[in-house]
Amino acid sequence: MADYITTYIKRDVRQVLEIRDLAAFHRFVTLCAGWVGQLVNLSSLAADTGVAVNTAKSWLGVLQTSGPICLVQPHYRNFRKRLVKTPKRHWRDSGLC
């Protein structure tokens, strides 16, 4: 699994987004895996990783686009609440998590 993560970060993510600090991105992925099933809090992720909130948002988008993470929107009867409330972050591959 460690080799899979290294390959994913070094090869696949670099094709999607030009990441300069691979160590910070690896730390970001590890934090996302540690908080599986939790509400997405970009400011906390960014602060713990040591990057800007916009960077954390783009990295989360890359993880979502490339497949390991999916964001699950909350379900409410009120449609506005569905759009406004914070989604939860889940991993598609529990072994990778």
Side-chain angles (χ1 to χ4, degrees), residues 21-93:
D21 190 1
L22 289 176
F25 184 74
H26 189 271
R27 195 168 42 249
F28 179 80
V29 171
T30 305
L31 285 171
C32 286
W35 295 344
V36 69
Q38 300 294 320
L39 296 175
V40 175
N41 186 347
L42 288 174
S43 60
S44 177
L45 271 172
D48 291 345
T49 307
V51 297
V53 175
N54 291 337
T55 304
K57 186 175 182 178
S58 69
W59 287 357
L60 188 65
V62 168
L63 289 175
Q64 189 178 4
T65 302
S66 61
I69 286 182
C70 67
L71 297 180
V72 179
Q73 298 295 329
H75 182 74
Y76 289 98
R77 286 186 181 177
N78 186 344
F79 185 71
R80 286 187 197 173
K81 282 188 178 182
R82 287 187 214 174
L83 297 176
V84 173
K85 297 293 182 177
T86 305
K88 288 187 177 182
R89 177 183 47 245
H90 289 283
W91 285 80
R92 295 177 193 259
D93 183 4

